[in-house]
Amino acid sequence: MKFRIFIIGLVALALAGCKKILEPEPENLKTIEQMYTDANFAQGFLINAYRTIPAYYDNSDFATDDAVTNQLTHPYLQLATGSWTAAGNPASVWNQSYEAMQYINLFLANSAKVKWAVDPESSKLFNTRMRGEAFGLRGLYLYFQLRNHGGVASNGQLTGVPIINQYQTATSDFNLPRASFDACVKQIYKDLDSAEAYLPVEYNDISSAAQIPARFSNITQNVETYNRVMGQYARQLFNGLIAKSFRARTALLAASPAFKNASNTVTWADAAGYAAQIIDYKGGANSLPQNGGTYYANTSEVDGLGGGNNPSEVIWRENIVTNDGTQEGQHFPPSLFGNGLMNPTQNLVEAFPMANGYPIDHPNANYLPANPYAGRDPRFAKYILFDGSTAGVSNTVIRTGSSSGSDNGVNVRATSTRTGYYMKKRLRMDVNRNPISISGKTHYNPRIRYTEMYLAYAEAANEAWGPTGLGTHAYSAYDIIKNIRKRAFGFASDPYLEECKSDVGKMRELIRNERRLELCFESFRFWDLRRWKVDLTKLNETARGMDVNGNVFTPLSVEPRAFQSYMYYGPIPNSEVLKYSQLIQNQGWK
């Protein structure tokens, strides 16, 4: 496989007669040994690993039945329509992950020698925390590698990726085989266990020595020392709760149909148990934040963030960006001076039930094809702009019909929708993209949401114990979904949920649909469809739209999908397979 060997030193120019100005300054000649006395330099290895964490919003939704894009050269459009190859894979995280692991492994090999602070207790505590971060980040990158590149190899075996736990030098053997899927899962667990052992669950200041967690009390009893290292100033660094969340993600992946075989011992009960740890920490089934479904647009909460705090819905996030309108510029309709990149599909629109909770094709739905947007799930209008929606700072009416006379109409211009819909989720409607008076707002991108963890539990618990089974926990899949739907609909009662609670299969479909709606446009669907190993006809469902002109609704076939059966698993980069004889490709990829 391809590793970029990190070069610590720079070779000084030594040519005879060279002028002093051509010689590098001594401070630029970094060596491994300088890590030991330069804490900032040493910490830089971890910072580099943070910088390449895969994006939460990667727009892989463009390659699903949930959305298309009007950017016709977009890599995910090409992928979805027949150009997904081992040599051209926009979903690859191979190189960035192994490069990050290089930094992490170099750090772990040397961190104990670094003088992190003058005070010995602070120095030891800093080393403890940063080693925890490093183990956690290594587990994170291996999870993404396993999700994006693990699969059934050409030898017929369920296989993971090479496990690299040592810093690789120019003399290392790079011709390494892929570890088994099970071995990769266990390695992720091991790294996350180490992270939890070294890190607090969350970074908070304390007021007395009695509040110092027991595993750190042998290092210091000084409140100021603890707060300096493990307090609020460390927020948004990897912590114990993040480690628990990635363990839950890993177990859900491993328990899913695409990855189950005799050598993989992870069960649905395991996955439910790991997700339950996060739910219990949050306070139980009834503690899901009531405004969590609109985490991106809770303006007072977002604008008031500071001190590294998270919104109540968020376990981990990226840094806050102020006076920003980047996403709005990408995704607003043309009339709001946006490029309209994310076009939700009619397929997704039809997945939103009616306001009474029934799917639109249910006999009790009261769905009106002649007035299809009336009486729908409240999340529909919160997440999608449709014909007649209002948007932007001036509440502009959005007309999406091809004959509407608006630039927002279907295929009117290059930045117009192809489906008759625009994305509203992720965006703040109080951003102004008008060049005359452009103004941005505060934004953040999540990395992990509590809703994801609640949905993970519901899915796993239903498979392990049925809709109302508890296992060893205080709540069931039914209890979790009841609370998610109550938040969405404001239900006093939910007759469709009651209809599903006695049938594992019906509850499975409901849970999967709730996951689709709650996490739409957040880059989950592409991988969910694959780990569920849905029927190939579902994977290849044509992306559809709706051209609305007055009272005339014209269905559109917008974009076909061209996935083959081997595409349930992503490929190993072809360049790596060609270079290394022990690196076996997944079945079907060339």
Side-chain angles (χ1 to χ4, degrees):
M1 70 222 59
K2 178 181 178 182
F3 298 112
R4 295 180 187 174
I5 303 302
F6 184 80
I7 301 173
I8 300 295
L10 297 175
V11 179
L13 295 175
L15 296 176
C18 281
K19 294 182 179 180
K20 177 72 174 178
I21 194 171
L22 297 179
E23 295 177 0
E25 292 297 324
E27 60 267 25
N28 292 329
L29 302 177
K30 297 292 187 181
T31 65
I32 290 178
E33 287 72 23
Q34 273 187 266
M35 288 179 65
Y36 310 151
T37 56
D38 187 343
N40 289 330
F41 176 49
Q43 190 176 19
F45 293 101
L46 276 188
I47 292 172
N48 278 318
Y50 277 109
R51 284 174 176 162
T52 55
I53 293 173
Y56 188 79
Y57 297 140
D58 68 10
N59 293 331
S60 58
D61 309 80
F62 294 157
T64 74
D65 53 354
D66 277 1
V68 301
T69 180
N70 59 21
Q71 185 180 328
L72 301 183
T73 58
H74 195 281
Y76 272 110
L77 183 153
Q78 303 300 319
L79 177 155
T81 55
S83 298
W84 193 9
T85 68
N89 179 16
S92 177
V93 294
W94 190 271
N95 286 338
Q96 73 189 78
S97 297
Y98 282 121
E99 287 169 15
M101 290 179 188
Q102 276 283 81
Y103 287 115
I104 291 166
N105 289 333
L106 179 62
F107 177 88
L108 288 170
N110 292 278
S111 73
K113 302 175 185 177
V114 177
K115 184 177 181 180
W116 293 108
V118 174
D119 169 48
E121 289 185 356
S122 295
S123 184
K124 187 173 182 180
L125 207 56
F126 271 121
N127 184 55
T128 299
R129 190 199 78 200
M130 291 188 199
R131 288 185 70 81
E133 293 175 61
F135 282 119
L137 287 168
R138 193 168 69 182
L140 172 155
Y141 278 105
L142 188 52
Y143 161 78
F144 283 113
Q145 285 275 52
L146 196 60
R147 185 194 71 173
N148 292 32
H149 300 288
V152 177
S154 57
N155 61 7
Q157 300 299 310
L158 180 64
T159 312
V161 296
I163 296 174
I164 310 295
N165 288 341
Q166 300 294 324
Y167 176 64
Q168 303 292 291
T169 70
T171 60
S172 296
D173 181 7
F174 298 122
N175 192 12
L176 301 175
R178 296 167 64 182
S180 70
F181 187 91
D182 184 60
C184 289
V185 169
K186 289 176 179 175
Q187 181 61 49
I188 294 170
Y189 287 172
K190 182 178 180 181
D191 278 341
L192 297 176
D193 287 345
S194 296
E196 285 200 75
Y198 284 120
L199 298 172
V201 177
E202 293 193 271
Y203 296 108
N204 293 308
D205 285 350
I206 60 172
S207 57
S208 71
Q211 294 175 295
I212 297 175
R215 59 189 180 282
F216 306 124
S217 61
N218 64 332
I219 298 176
T220 187
Q221 286 290 307
N222 187 294
V223 171
E224 291 183 359
T225 298
Y226 181 86
N227 288 344
R228 176 187 178 189
V229 181
M230 301 288 192
Q232 64 174 329
Y233 295 113
R235 286 173 180 164
Q236 303 316 323
L237 298 176
F238 203 99
N239 63 28
L241 189 60
I242 297 166
K244 291 180 187 295
S245 300
F246 269 94
R247 190 182 293 105
R249 281 181 170 179
T250 302
L252 188 71
L253 179 77
S256 296
F259 298 103
K260 281 306 297 177
N261 72 358
S263 65
N264 171 16
T265 58
V266 179
T267 67
W268 285 115
D270 294 334
Y274 292 138
Q277 292 181 18
I278 293 98
I279 296 173
D280 291 342
Y281 178 80
K282 187 63 172 173
N286 298 320
S287 296
L288 193 66
Q290 291 305 297
N291 65 352
T294 52
Y295 65 92
Y296 54 92
N298 300 327
T299 55
S300 59
E301 182 179 59
V302 176
D303 291 341
L305 286 176
N309 290 314
N310 283 328
S312 58
E313 166 66 15
V314 172
I315 293 172
W316 196 22
R317 61 171 173 81
E318 296 180 23
N319 291 333
I320 293 169
V321 181
T322 58
N323 193 30
D324 178 63
T326 303
Q327 283 209 68
E328 289 75 16
Q330 292 175 342
H331 300 293
F332 268 175
S335 67
L336 299 180
F337 304 94
N339 289 317
L341 288 180
M342 181 78 77
N343 304 161
T345 61
Q346 181 68 23
N347 315 54
L348 176 60
V349 169
E350 292 172 1
F352 286 91
M354 299 302 289
N356 61 12
Y358 284 102
I360 64 171
D361 59 355
H362 192 282
N364 297 335
N366 300 319
Y367 173 69
L368 299 174
N371 192 12
Y373 307 142
R376 300 295 292 276
D377 179 341
R379 291 173 292 191
F380 171 50
K382 292 176 181 177
Y383 295 168
I384 293 175
L385 294 174
F386 52 91
D387 185 74
S389 295
T390 58
V393 292
S394 57
N395 289 319
T396 301
V397 177
I398 305 300
R399 292 298 176 190
T400 64
S402 59
S403 301
S404 64
S406 168
D407 285 346
N408 299 326
V410 174
N411 295 324
V412 169
R413 56 188 295 181
T415 54
S416 302
T417 178
R418 298 169 62 206
T419 63
Y421 302 102
Y422 294 92
M423 180 180 72
K424 186 177 182 182
K425 192 179 185 183
R426 294 169 35 179
L427 310 180
R428 288 188 57 158
M429 292 296 110
D430 53 352
V431 164
N432 190 347
R433 296 299 301 173
N434 189 329
I436 297 174
S437 56
I438 192 167
S439 64
K441 293 293 181 180
T442 300
H443 290 73
Y444 71 91
N445 290 343
R447 284 192 171 125
I448 309 171
R449 291 173 54 203
Y450 275 106
T451 296
E452 178 198 343
M453 296 293 110
Y454 277 66
L455 287 164
Y457 177 85
E459 179 181 339
N462 181 59
E463 300 297 339
W465 310 300
T468 58
L470 300 176
T472 59
H473 308 289
Y475 39 82
S476 65
Y478 164 84
D479 295 323
I480 297 295
I481 295 302
K482 182 177 181 179
N483 279 289
I484 288 175
R485 283 167 63 90
K486 183 178 180 181
R487 179 178 77 177
F489 293 92
F491 277 147
S493 63
D494 189 346
Y496 183 65
L497 176 61
E498 297 304 314
E499 181 181 311
C500 294
K501 77 174 187 179
S502 60
D503 187 312
V504 171
K506 290 185 72 171
M507 182 63 84
R508 177 186 300 123
E509 293 307 309
L510 177 58
I511 291 169
R512 288 183 178 183
N513 197 63
E514 286 297 314
R515 183 177 176 91
R516 180 182 190 178
L517 302 182
E518 288 284 341
L519 302 180
C520 64
F521 314 128
E522 296 179 57
S523 310
F524 285 91
R525 182 97 175 140
F526 184 84
W527 300 110
D528 282 345
L529 291 172
R530 283 163 174 75
R531 68 178 178 84
W532 292 331
K533 210 166 187 180
V534 298
D535 188 86
L536 193 60
T537 58
K538 177 63 177 174
L539 212 59
N540 281 319
E541 186 176 300
T542 297
R544 296 176 285 113
M546 186 69 72
D547 189 4
V548 183
N549 292 289
N551 294 322
V552 179
F553 294 82
T554 305
L556 303 172
S557 291
V558 178
E559 190 174 278
R561 298 288 181 246
F563 295 117
Q564 305 298 316
S565 59
Y566 62 85
M567 293 178 179
Y568 288 112
Y569 310 105
I572 305 296
N574 191 54
S575 58
E576 307 303 291
V577 175
L578 292 175
K579 284 187 292 187
Y580 303 113
S581 60
Q582 292 203 68
L583 198 59
I584 301 174
Q585 182 61 276
N586 283 334
Q587 282 183 354
W589 290 99
K590 298 178 182 179

